[in-house]
Amino acid sequence: MKAVALTRYLPIDDPQSLVDVELPAPTAGGHDLLVRVEAISVNPVDTKVRSPKPQVEAQPRVLGFDAAGVVEAVGEDVTRFKVGDRVYYAGDITRPGTNSELHLVDERIVGAAPASLSAAQAAALPLTAITAWELLFQRMPFDADNGGRGKSLLIIAGAGGVGSIAIQIAKRAGFNVIATASRSESVEWCRQMGADHVIDHRQPLASQLKALGFEQVDAALNLADTDRYWETLGEVLAPQGHVGLIVEPSGALKIGDPYKAKCIGIHWEMMFSRPRFKTPDMVEQGKILDRVAQLIDAGELKGTHTETLGKIDAANMRETHRRLESGTTIGKLVLAGW
């Protein structure tokens, strides 16, 4: 089967950073589905895993997490899917990635793809949808249907992949959503996703919030830079508020006042935790993806695919990584077909 892989961890401008390879096709067993991959999308975690380091792989390593495709074969323990089903999923960081024609994935972290979306559109969703949903509705103490009624939520980096989904599901849950963005096109994107207000993350947040009538906010999602906004969020969060984090800090965080004084809840989200540790509830990820697909098909959520950069090959993958590393992408970038 065709795949895009690496053996050395190099800057993305190096042609050897990601290369086209031929690998043996895998075989499904146990709870695994063998999926014929039709489209993939790239996330910041892909670029972080690929980033330069001295390690050398003895065998080609296939990266990639988000995928949409069709079930080609099933393991003997599979109960949720059958051959021919259209599926989408975000994979498992401990296993070979989705940047291959055929891919093995545990059925419990797979969802039925939205019927109203193409493979390219579906591939844009899984990792960001799971991350936003788990963080807001499973790590933080808010109900997915009405948990935001009467509450305000600040989302830092609203135009990114996770932010694009977080705005929508938070608005659906009833939150008054304030997103951050700096460029005119990213501001407009946040508004299209449903943000009630958009403020500039390059400027002081507290004064902008006060100008909108928010002395404090009930909750915040920091989807960009944990260190940079740590003190600011401690200032603007209400007593007994909550902050959700997805980016590891560069060093130790000051967890004392005002976080302690205000009893602010701190919630970490790592989408790969359930599959990595084979938690008893790992099927929750499949359920989240099924729910998201239903909401997409019902018109209650919008897809976040913004551009397809061509077929799945090393040259296009390098360009997608390069674009993502620029820090200026909006929504999700996708590759489709072989």
Side-chain angles (χ1 to χ4, degrees), residues 19 27 29 31 33 53 58 68 73 134 165 173 177 191 204 241 248 283 304 308 310:
V19 296
T27 302
H31 283 283
L33 309 176
K53 55 183 74 72
E134 285 187 340
I165 292 290
V177 178
R191 295 195 188 282
E248 61 275 16
V283 74
T304 56
T308 299

Side-chain angles (χ1 to χ4, degrees), residues 133-218:
W133 195 284
E134 285 187 340
L135 181 55
L136 193 55
F137 302 138
Q138 296 186 346
R139 311 302 176 215
M140 299 169 81
F142 303 115
D143 180 75
D145 293 310
N146 56 22
R149 303 295 174 194
K151 297 182 177 67
S152 54
L153 174 69
L154 173 64
I155 299 177
I156 295 173
V162 178
S164 299
I165 292 290
I167 290 172
Q168 295 185 69
I169 63 175
K171 188 63 185 170
R172 183 181 176 278
F175 282 98
N176 195 337
V177 178
I178 309 109
T180 76
S182 58
R183 295 174 292 134
S184 59
E185 56 268 38
S186 54
V187 169
E188 178 57 26
W189 176 264
C190 289
R191 295 195 188 282
Q192 290 177 17
M193 294 298 104
D196 296 287
H197 309 280
V198 184
I199 60 177
D200 188 347
H201 51 242
R202 295 178 181 174
Q203 305 300 324
L205 299 185
S207 58
Q208 293 181 83
L209 288 168
K210 287 179 182 177
L212 292 172
F214 297 96
E215 291 295 324
Q216 296 177 312
V217 293
D218 298 299

Side-chain angles (χ1 to χ4, degrees), residues 8-75:
R8 294 183 296 155
Y9 297 84
L10 301 167
I12 199 57
D13 291 333
D14 191 315
Q16 295 301 307
S17 59
L18 291 166
V19 296
D20 295 308
V21 297
E22 289 278 345
L23 297 174
T27 302
H31 283 283
D32 279 347
L33 309 176
L34 180 65
V35 176
R36 183 164 293 278
V37 175
E38 296 179 336
I40 61 93
S41 69
V42 178
N43 296 279
V45 65
D46 296 75
T47 66
K48 290 178 182 178
V49 173
R50 193 224 76 249
S51 63
K53 55 183 74 72
Q55 180 182 351
V56 176
E57 301 290 345
Q59 300 295 326
R61 180 181 181 183
V62 178
L63 305 183
F65 303 103
D66 277 333
V70 177
V71 177
E72 186 101 341
V74 300

Side-chain angles (χ1 to χ4, degrees), residues 129-130 133-134 138 284-292:
I130 292 171
W133 195 284
E134 285 187 340
Q138 296 186 346
E284 279 296 312
Q285 293 200 340
K287 292 179 180 179
I288 291 169
L289 291 176
D290 285 342
R291 180 79 184 280
V292 169

Side-chain angles (χ1 to χ4, degrees), residues 154 156-157 180-182 199-206 208 221-236 243 245 247-254 259 268 327:
L154 173 64
I156 295 173
T180 76
S182 58
I199 60 177
D200 188 347
H201 51 242
R202 295 178 181 174
Q203 305 300 324
L205 299 185
Q208 293 181 83
L221 304 182
N222 184 351
L223 308 177
D225 187 329
T226 298
D227 298 283
R228 178 179 175 183
Y229 297 103
W230 186 251
E231 291 186 6
T232 296
L233 291 179
E235 175 188 354
V236 303
V243 60
L245 305 168
V247 180
E248 61 275 16
S250 61
L253 295 172
K254 184 177 181 295
Y259 284 86
W268 284 103

Side-chain angles (χ1 to χ4, degrees), residues 271-331:
M271 193 226 71
F272 297 116
S273 289
R274 279 169 161 150
R276 177 183 177 183
F277 296 106
K278 299 294 184 289
T279 61
D281 67 346
M282 64 187 285
V283 74
E284 279 296 312
Q285 293 200 340
K287 292 179 180 179
I288 291 169
L289 291 176
D290 285 342
R291 180 79 184 280
V292 169
Q294 292 163 5
L295 293 173
I296 289 280
D297 288 339
E300 295 188 46
L301 296 180
K302 299 177 183 177
T304 56
H305 164 262
T306 50
E307 188 176 356
T308 299
L309 275 65
K311 66 178 183 178
I312 306 169
D313 65 19
N316 289 335
M317 191 72 69
R318 290 194 299 272
E319 173 60 14
T320 309
H321 276 237
R322 187 193 67 76
R323 293 264 294 269
L324 202 62
E325 287 181 341
S326 74
T328 59
T329 56
I330 295 173

